[in-house]
Amino acid sequence: MLRIAWSTLRVRWLSFAGTFVALALGAALMAALGQVLASSISSPDRAPQRYAATPVVVVADERLGVKSPFGESSAPLAQPRGLAPELAGRISGAVVDRIFPAQLAGGPPAVGRPWSAARTAPQRLSSGRAPAGGDEIVVTAGARVGQRVQVVTAAGIRPYRVVGVASPGPQPTVFFTDERAARLSPRIDALAVWRPVTEVRAAMQAPQAAARTGVPAVSSTVKVLTGQDRALLDPYREADERARNNANTIVGIAAGFAGFIAIFVVSSTFAFAVGQRQREFALLRTIGATTGQVRRMVYGEALLVAITASALGALTGPLAARPILHLLSSLEMAPAWLVPATSRAPSYVAFGAGLLVAVLGVVVAAWRAGRVRPAEALREAAVEPGAMTPGRWIAGGGLLATAVISMLVNAVTDPAGATNNKTFMPIVMLLIAAVGLLAPAFVRPVANLLAAPLGRLRGAGGLVVPAGAVASTRRTAATAAPVLVTVALAATLLGGAAMTDATKAATQTAPVRADYLVLPSGVAGLDRSLVERLRALPDTDVTTVTPTSLYTLEGGGTQLIKRPAEAVNPATIATALSVPVAAGSLKELRDDTIAVSPTWELDLGQRVKLWRADGSQVSLTVVALLGAGSAADAYVTPAHALSALPSAAYVKPRPGASAAEVEAALERAAKGHNARSVSKAAWAATVADRRASASRLGLLAMLGIMLSYTVIALVNTLLMAAPDRAGEHGALRLLGATRAQLLRYVVGEALLIVAVGVILAAVATALGLLGLYAALLQLTGPVAVEVPWQPVIGVIALCCVLAVLAAVLPAGRVKAVAIPR
């Protein structure tokens, strides 16, 4: 049968061209994505930047270690404690480094450091001199030598004179004299040492022993870093890890969709081809071919196509790894410094995946081909059998039921998890597959509904166009399937992202009662001087919110968990935020109490042992249980924020205060402090726009990659159908239809098929967004169902153009002498 399969491929090469291209593209995409994933995993971290010229760096072991009867658990500290001051004198020539927020007024986010630490990178003077007085600084950007500038630190704003400009480092830096830096930030963050590492380790042994005997519950040891470990102290370290994770997530999702669409395309193509070859299989059965032989022939055709296509894709795919990496990095979804891997493993995996996709995609088609009886050689020429078989009903209904049940379960048990792409996207794929399987049952009513307006047109076009689509529902469904996948993916994913972003933005903005907010322009927070000026404003109530962290022992005392918390003033929080309270009262919030969300699984009045952001232990009593929809996981008083700076100030004018005067006062207070005052409406719009743009970029990039699949499937299916339609088109020419009339008929039928696919996609989209809406309803109440129509309409327009071109080009060569078969 392999010989017959090879002969079939040579004769019917057009029928398998689309499958070949789809498999080749799938293997190439999987190989390219595999290389991107390998690049993300295997690329070494960036070389040390901040301490590139320092052979040895001593830092505190900023981890909280807690012992319990079940063992010891540890977690990174949210707020560093720094090194003990006496350690600096233990090592000869050690440079004390302090890193703290310091930013030129109106300049980019920066840090402050002592000038002696400039040699650790090194950052040398490009002009001017080193700072010598307390009011002198050296900058890396944003000012010139001799210029008087305002510098914002945690304490407030103060004028300085720029005496030098240094070469750029890993981040913008303001260098102070060592004495001024020590006053601005007493904490010692690191010791830069130019001594042998063995000598440094020996000097650190005594402090470590003292720490072990002093406080056994909290780790206070130091770490001696050399080589690549020095990069752990670079400012971009966490951002690099997030970028790696983003790249891995996007690649994983794209690979999953690539496999899904490849199986969809291959299965629909082979199903359509089997439908075209019913008489051929019947004749083979007539001359003695068994059911198994026919099925093996179909499998052989699929494997012959898959081997060549997968090999081509596996070889060429890695060439696309660099452009994909460049695209992801340009969208800030992957680190720009990743180096494309040279591993051959992704190509081997892609080749095997191509073969597996081909086999999975042809299973149903081969089973259906083997069921053809010899007598169907004549019957197939007269009447098309029912397109919906019992197996198709069962498979489509089963997938649809699975998707619906999954959405209901998520909405009831885990509504927050339903907003996760890893949960939502598999449901989308189930819905699309279900609607695709059930599509032939709805082709006739949908086509008649769409063609109803055409009946009012003059001529026979209004009758011929829908008749051609309805005459073969199987062919119409197969042709509309790529449109279904393309439009449904675009509409569901983009619409789901828009709804999820709107919900998250509403969760963040809805609790705010204040009319104005004062926000920092960087990540350092609002300085203390600015906070004092805001609180001194007349006719206003000002509430600051300071993010912090608390650590709890959970899992039966076996695991140390870091939980976010917000430090607020209990006397004014009600004027700034609407905080839902299920039990207790926020009025009882004091330095020895806490308000927690249900996720803490604590009872009202329960005493709980916690560790604060710097590792210090505290015992607090639960005085309030937060209700559903709380913006924070826990609330504590500002005493537990330690040295952290407020992330926002909420301002509520008192009754009778002039809004214009309050706005002007806020602008004057924030001027020069690297902060801005905004109205609640403007801030809410900014939050929503920022979320929408970030998520939409990632989805558009992924959909752009996936769109190439469905383009191939759409064009291939139409080209495969062209030979079967040649007889019909020739008959129309013999009946007197002109070439222009025939082309108009073909265009109308192609657009009708696209419209059928769009309607089916709308059904899948509606089901998916309805399930997501049910989950979001549990989180924030009613939410608007939004679909970004611009990209969706663009996808539909592209499908229309491709469908028209693929249908018109073969029809344009039909001559009147052709006779129907």
Side-chain angles (χ1 to χ4, degrees):
M1 300 304 291
L2 284 177
R3 183 178 302 173
I4 298 177
W6 174 250
S7 301
T8 304
L9 289 177
R10 288 189 301 171
V11 175
R12 290 182 171 268
W13 65 269
L14 182 62
S15 299
F16 297 98
T19 304
F20 178 88
V21 175
L23 285 173
L25 178 63
L29 186 56
M30 290 181 185
L33 294 175
Q35 288 284 28
V36 172
L37 186 61
S39 302
S40 176
I41 295 174
S42 63
S43 291
D45 294 332
R46 280 195 275 184
Q49 301 290 319
R50 177 176 283 167
Y51 297 102
T54 308
V56 182
V57 183
V58 179
V59 295
D61 185 4
E62 303 291 2
R63 293 187 66 85
L64 172 63
V66 177
K67 292 182 179 180
S68 70
F70 304 98
E72 183 174 358
S73 180
S74 65
L77 283 174
Q79 195 170 121
R81 293 172 295 192
L83 293 167
E86 61 269 15
L87 291 182
R90 292 180 176 271
I91 307 174
S92 175
V95 171
V96 175
D97 195 5
R98 311 173 194 269
I99 304 167
F100 52 93
Q103 183 177 354
L104 298 182
V111 296
R113 297 178 70 189
W115 172 247
S116 60
R119 60 183 289 207
T120 61
Q123 292 176 262
R124 299 183 176 88
L125 285 170
S126 57
S127 62
R129 60 174 177 81
D135 63 343
E136 296 179 345
I137 59 172
V138 171
V139 299
T140 57
R144 302 182 305 273
V145 174
Q147 187 175 351
R148 298 286 294 185
V149 296
Q150 300 285 334
V151 178
V152 182
T153 61
I157 188 169
R158 176 172 175 168
Y160 290 87
R161 185 164 62 94
V162 179
V163 297
V165 176
S167 58
Q171 64 186 137
T173 307
V174 179
F175 290 103
F176 300 84
T177 61
D178 291 6
E179 295 76 12
R180 171 63 66 181
R183 285 196 292 271
L184 292 173
S185 178
R187 184 187 69 221
I188 298 177
D189 292 293
L191 295 177
V193 185
W194 284 263
R195 306 288 297 178
V197 65
T198 54
E199 181 181 332
V200 176
R201 293 186 189 278
M204 293 299 106
Q205 286 179 356
Q208 289 187 28
R212 286 194 297 269
T213 58
V215 185
V218 179
S219 174
S220 301
T221 59
V222 299
K223 294 191 297 185
V224 179
L225 304 180
T226 60
Q228 183 61 30
D229 288 341
R230 296 170 296 167
L232 297 172
L233 307 177
D234 286 332
Y236 48 73
R237 182 73 181 185
E238 292 185 2
D240 284 353
E241 290 301 320
R242 286 195 301 269
R244 277 185 189 265
N245 293 335
N246 289 340
N248 294 342
T249 300
I250 292 173
V251 167
I253 293 174
F257 271 113
F260 166 73
I261 297 178
I263 294 175
F264 194 96
V265 169
V266 172
S267 61
S268 62
T269 300
F270 269 96
F272 186 60
V274 167
Q276 287 180 311
R277 299 165 60 190
Q278 290 283 343
R279 285 175 293 168
E280 176 185 326
F281 295 139
L283 289 173
L284 287 174
R285 295 295 310 280
T286 302
I287 62 176
T290 64
T291 299
Q293 287 177 320
V294 172
R295 289 173 179 169
R296 284 196 296 272
M297 183 187 73
V298 176
Y299 278 118
E301 293 170 352
L303 287 176
L304 288 174
V305 173
I307 289 173
T308 54
S310 300
L312 177 63
L315 290 174
T316 59
L319 300 177
R322 190 179 295 273
I324 293 177
L325 274 175
H326 178 72
L327 173 64
L328 293 177
S329 62
S330 65
L331 297 175
E332 298 183 355
M333 297 176 186
W337 45 267
L338 290 182
V339 179
T342 57
S343 173
R344 296 181 180 179
S347 295
Y348 296 147
V349 173
F351 178 77
L355 298 181
L356 180 62
V357 164
V359 172
L360 293 177
V362 80
V363 167
V364 176
W367 177 80
R368 184 177 161 207
R371 292 179 66 247
V372 175
R373 296 189 297 270
E376 294 183 21
L378 297 177
R379 218 168 21 187
E380 182 71 14
V383 180
E384 181 188 58
M388 292 299 299
T389 61
R392 189 159 188 156
W393 278 110
I394 294 173
L399 290 178
L400 182 61
T402 302
V404 172
I405 292 173
S406 298
M407 290 189 293
L408 291 176
V409 170
N410 289 334
V412 174
T413 61
D414 187 18
T419 62
N420 191 319
N421 283 335
K422 295 180 180 179
T423 303
F424 182 57
M425 289 184 177
I427 294 177
V428 172
M429 291 189 284
L430 286 176
L431 287 173
I432 293 175
V435 174
L437 287 171
L438 299 175
F442 301 99
V443 165
R444 186 181 299 273
V446 171
N448 288 332
L449 177 64
L450 294 173
L454 298 178
R456 301 180 181 180
L457 300 178
R458 296 177 57 186
L463 298 175
V464 175
V465 169
V470 172
S472 178
T473 57
R474 182 181 298 162
R475 181 183 62 215
T476 303
T479 309
V483 180
L484 160 66
V485 176
T486 308
V487 178
L489 277 180
T492 307
L493 295 183
L494 292 176
M499 292 172 60
T500 302
D501 292 338
T503 301
K504 292 179 179 178
T507 302
Q508 184 177 354
T509 59
V512 177
R513 289 178 173 173
D515 297 322
Y516 302 95
L517 294 88
V518 179
L519 305 171
S521 57
V523 297
L526 304 176
D527 64 83
R528 300 184 184 93
S529 174
L530 172 59
V531 173
E532 292 176 0
R533 295 183 64 181
L534 292 175
R535 287 174 175 162
L537 293 178
D539 300 326
T540 60
D541 291 319
V542 177
T543 300
T544 60
V545 173
T546 305
T548 185
S549 297
L550 297 172
Y551 298 85
T552 65
L553 272 178
E554 300 182 14
T558 61
Q559 189 174 10
L560 190 64
I561 301 296
K562 175 184 175 182
R563 286 184 171 273
E566 290 188 354
V568 297
N569 184 350
T572 59
I573 185 175
T575 63
L577 298 172
S578 176
V579 181
V581 178
S585 174
L586 288 177
K587 294 180 180 179
E588 302 296 324
L589 192 62
R590 298 185 301 270
D591 290 348
D592 61 344
T593 62
I594 185 174
V596 298
S597 69
T599 61
W600 286 62
E601 299 182 353
L602 298 177
D603 298 324
L604 195 66
Q606 184 175 345
R607 192 78 172 173
V608 58
K609 182 169 64 174
L610 304 171
W611 288 265
R612 298 189 293 186
D614 66 344
S616 58
Q617 183 177 325
V618 63
S619 293
L620 303 178
T621 302
V622 178
V623 295
L625 297 178
L626 304 176
S630 173
D633 192 47
Y635 286 107
V636 292
T637 59
H640 300 292
L642 305 175
S643 62
L645 298 177
S647 61
Y650 298 98
V651 182
K652 181 74 173 179
R654 293 170 185 166
S658 170
E661 292 180 359
V662 171
E663 290 182 9
L666 290 175
E667 291 180 2
R668 289 193 300 268
K671 185 177 181 181
H673 287 266
N674 289 326
R676 70 188 193 281
S677 63
V678 294
S679 65
K680 177 185 175 181
W683 168 71
T686 302
V687 170
D689 291 343
R690 184 169 60 248
R691 285 189 176 275
S693 61
S695 61
R696 195 172 300 174
L697 278 176
L699 287 176
L700 287 176
M702 186 175 64
L703 287 173
I705 297 174
M706 298 297 102
L707 190 62
S708 54
Y709 266 117
T710 49
V711 166
I712 293 171
L714 176 62
V715 174
N716 177 65
T717 307
L718 287 169
L719 292 178
M720 288 175 61
D724 291 345
R725 309 302 306 281
E728 299 176 20
H729 298 163
L732 289 174
R733 293 294 304 276
L734 288 174
L735 291 173
T738 64
R739 181 185 180 87
Q741 288 176 321
L742 176 62
L743 292 181
R744 285 198 297 271
Y745 156 67
V746 169
V747 170
E749 188 179 37
L751 294 178
L752 179 62
I753 291 174
V754 171
V756 171
V758 171
I759 296 297
L760 296 175
V763 173
T765 300
L767 291 174
L769 296 185
L770 182 62
L772 181 61
Y773 177 86
L776 299 179
L777 189 65
Q778 307 299 318
L779 296 176
T780 60
V783 60
V785 179
E786 299 180 8
V787 176
W789 292 111
Q790 186 174 357
V792 175
I793 292 175
V795 169
I796 295 174
L798 177 61
C799 290
C800 290
V801 171
L802 293 173
V804 168
L805 290 177
V808 166
L809 292 179
R813 296 194 298 268
V814 174
K815 298 180 180 180
V817 296
I819 59 174
R821 290 180 295 173

